[in-house]
Amino acid sequence: MITVDIEKKLKAYHGQQVLKIAGQFENGSVTKIYGPSGAGKTTFLKVIAGLINPEKGKIAVGDIIWLDTALRISLSPQKRKVGFVFQSYALFSNMTVQQHLAYATDDKQWIKRLLEIGKLETFAKHKPEYLSGGQQQRLAILRAMAIKPKLLLMDEPFSALDPKMKSGLIPELKLLWEELGTTTLIVSHNPQELEGLADREMEINPSL
Amino acid sequence: MDLTPIWLTLKLATIATMVLLLIGLPVAYWLSKGRSVIKIILEAIITMPLVLPPSVLGFYLLLAFSPQHGIGKWLHDTFNIQFVFSFQGLILASVIYSMPFMIGPIKSALQQLPLSLSQASYTLGKTERQTFIKVLLPNIRSSVLTAAILTFAHTLGEFGVVLMIGGNIPNVTRVASIAVYDSVENMDYHAANIYSLILFSITFVMVISVFVFNKYKVKSPLE
């Protein structure tokens, strides 16, 4: 069980807003996160990953406290080791597809399996600049899965995929998450995109 | 025709560039991350050689490292190191004088990289050092090469600083730029012309290579 209760100030066009989120996420669950642009969905994911620190709050994963601002506890992103799919993909232009995965894990069998799931076997030696937008996005998902994360945070992860690719990839990913017991939080703008995938939904709306 | 000043200049520029690569990479990385009063002051100090007359910098270095007092005396008495009128002194002066040429481009390149690159690496469990070496550095390699070439070329052309701290000692501190000045003073225009032509050719090729390399550099996949 992941328990989150955070407060983070956001800069917005019409002044400062406060992002207040409290919630619990069951182990192995898939949660869709939605809300208007600029609501702080990406910020929320980054706070959980330890990439941004909130002003106030607490995050606990099982018995382990990842963040407690009152106790001045904040585990580094390296210790939290969540899988993170960035909206901008954040691919490393100096690495090939294979090298991206090898950078994340030494498990060659796992890399082979991920390449098969992402249909990127034939592009293993290609650098990101030679991949299409959809292939780059799949690589970003595979790289996040390479560390076999217990918690996976995905920021608009399927936006560049065509419907056929999406319908092929999503069930495969769901199988992987079940196998690993991965808890998944997915930010998505598209209401239909995660139908049948997400167990629950969470709306984010910052207050003034 | 004595070509020692040319070899001395190339040796000085090579050593200064290597020292500055070692110092410049971590300093530029540190400066690229956020802002603080200390960073602003340090950056201003690093940038000073760009605007300060080289003779002023040379004069202060001469005072600071004079074996008669202060740090210079301590270095001389403790380690038997003398920076004034020695080749080591030229290296020290060159490192300080060319520092903005190394640190400036590298810092700018690091600041232009998307923050998400290092964040992605951290979420994969990689340390800051691993991220710098495996992700950030390869992504700014063209800037590092440009900085190294400019530093090298700039060191070749030093005059005021090296004259102040190194003087004009043949085979020790008489680098090419000083040899040109010295030859003209002695009305030996032929030697001055040879030294000048060699310096001009080397720096011209280096500057051209910067432009050629940057034109064909690898683009970001998201550009």
Side-chain angles (χ1 to χ4, degrees):
Chain A
M1 174 84 79
I2 298 162
T3 311
V4 179
D5 185 359
I6 56 138
E7 226 179 280
K8 169 80 186 158
K9 285 179 188 159
L10 298 176
K11 281 180 191 153
Y13 176 69
H14 45 273
Q16 205 167 58
Q17 296 180 325
V18 180
L19 177 70
K20 280 186 186 175
I21 299 174
Q24 289 188 321
F25 306 93
E26 293 283 343
N27 286 344
S29 62
V30 180
T31 306
K32 174 186 168 178
I33 296 169
Y34 66 99
S37 292
K41 301 184 292 293
T42 300
T43 303
F44 175 56
L45 295 190
K46 287 192 172 178
V47 165
I48 296 176
L51 299 171
I52 295 176
N53 277 322
E55 278 76 33
K56 269 168 70 178
K58 211 171 167 179
I59 299 172
V61 177
D63 298 332
I64 304 165
I65 296 173
W66 279 11
L67 174 86
D68 191 332
T69 50
L71 296 173
R72 292 176 179 265
I73 296 173
S74 179
L75 292 192
S76 67
Q78 288 89 343
K79 283 188 180 152
R80 298 186 195 194
K81 225 178 170 186
V82 301
F84 202 115
V85 181
F86 290 80
Q87 191 174 9
S88 61
Y89 317 149
L91 298 177
F92 310 136
S93 60
N94 57 307
M95 294 187 197
T96 62
V97 168
Q98 176 93 25
Q99 286 166 339
H100 270 88
L101 303 182
Y103 184 62
T105 178
D106 297 328
D107 189 338
K108 288 189 176 138
Q109 285 305 312
W110 184 240
I111 291 175
K112 193 167 174 272
R113 191 167 160 203
L114 288 174
L115 288 173
E116 282 167 16
I117 289 170
K119 309 263 184 292
L120 287 176
E121 309 103 301
T122 50
F123 299 95
K125 301 251 183 296
H126 289 214
K127 287 191 174 172
E129 63 178 322
Y130 300 110
L131 300 176
S132 70
Q135 287 165 338
Q136 289 185 19
Q137 196 163 41
R138 274 180 278 151
L139 174 57
I141 296 170
L142 300 185
R143 183 181 61 183
M145 287 305 300
I147 58 169
K148 299 183 180 172
K150 287 290 167 202
L151 175 60
L152 178 65
L153 308 173
M154 307 174 94
D155 197 354
E156 298 286 354
F158 307 119
S159 58
L161 302 186
D162 62 74
K164 193 179 165 196
M165 181 54 74
K166 206 184 297 179
S167 59
L169 179 65
I170 287 177
E172 296 266 23
L173 283 176
K174 200 165 184 188
L175 274 177
L176 278 188
W177 298 341
E178 281 167 11
E179 192 182 314
L180 298 170
T182 304
T183 308
T184 309
L185 274 62
I186 309 175
V187 164
S188 177
H189 272 106
N190 186 341
Q192 282 86 43
E193 189 171 68
L194 304 178
E195 264 175 18
L197 176 66
D199 312 313
R200 52 170 290 197
E201 294 185 349
M202 180 189 236
E203 187 177 4
I204 291 186
N205 264 315
S207 54
L208 289 171
Chain B
M1 175 83 203
D2 179 19
L3 286 177
T4 317
I6 298 290
W7 297 125
L8 216 50
T9 304
L10 292 174
K11 187 176 152 192
L12 175 65
T14 306
I15 295 173
T17 305
M18 286 165 78
V19 171
L20 272 171
L21 267 176
L22 286 175
I23 300 172
L25 285 170
V27 172
Y29 175 62
W30 180 69
L31 287 174
S32 73
K33 296 195 317 169
R35 285 184 79 75
S36 67
V37 177
I38 295 172
K39 285 183 184 179
I40 291 170
I41 293 170
L42 184 72
E43 213 172 338
I45 292 170
I46 290 168
T47 311
M48 283 302 279
L50 282 179
V51 290
L52 206 62
S55 53
V56 173
L57 182 66
F59 173 65
Y60 282 127
L61 287 173
L62 189 63
L63 288 186
F65 292 102
S66 160
Q68 265 81 48
H69 47 255
I71 308 170
K73 187 175 188 317
W74 178 76
L75 284 170
H76 186 260
D77 294 348
T78 316
F79 302 106
N80 197 27
I81 295 173
Q82 187 179 320
F83 281 114
V84 174
F85 303 122
S86 69
F87 189 71
Q88 296 100 292
L90 293 194
I91 294 171
L92 177 76
S94 304
V95 164
I96 294 170
Y97 187 53
S98 295
M99 201 173 274
F101 286 84
M102 181 64 85
I103 290 180
I106 297 175
K107 192 200 109 186
S108 299
L110 285 167
Q111 282 178 329
Q112 280 168 26
L113 286 178
L115 190 61
S116 57
L117 284 187
S118 39
Q119 289 181 334
S121 181
Y122 298 155
T123 60
L124 298 172
K126 305 299 174 187
T127 62
E128 223 175 315
R129 181 194 281 253
Q130 287 170 318
T131 301
F132 181 70
I133 294 169
K134 300 272 188 180
V135 177
L136 303 184
L137 204 49
N139 277 289
I140 58 157
R141 64 180 186 277
S142 61
S143 300
V144 174
L145 191 71
T146 301
I149 291 173
L150 287 177
T151 301
F152 189 91
H154 187 244
T155 309
L156 290 184
E158 281 175 29
F159 179 73
V161 182
V162 292
L163 186 64
M164 290 297 273
I165 198 161
N168 182 9
I169 306 168
N171 303 325
V172 181
T173 62
R174 191 170 182 252
V175 290
S177 58
I178 291 172
V180 172
Y181 179 77
D182 203 35
S183 304
V184 172
E185 279 237 300
N186 294 326
M187 303 295 283
D188 185 356
Y189 279 41
H190 174 70
N193 191 25
I194 300 284
Y195 289 135
S196 301
L197 200 61
I198 294 173
L199 276 186
F200 181 88
S201 308
I202 295 171
T203 45
F204 185 70
V205 168
M206 300 199 88
V207 173
I208 285 279
S209 65
V210 169
F211 283 111
V212 171
F213 186 79
N214 280 334
K215 192 179 173 188
Y216 296 109
K217 72 175 182 180
V218 178
K219 283 186 176 176
S220 153
L222 298 176
E223 267 175 9

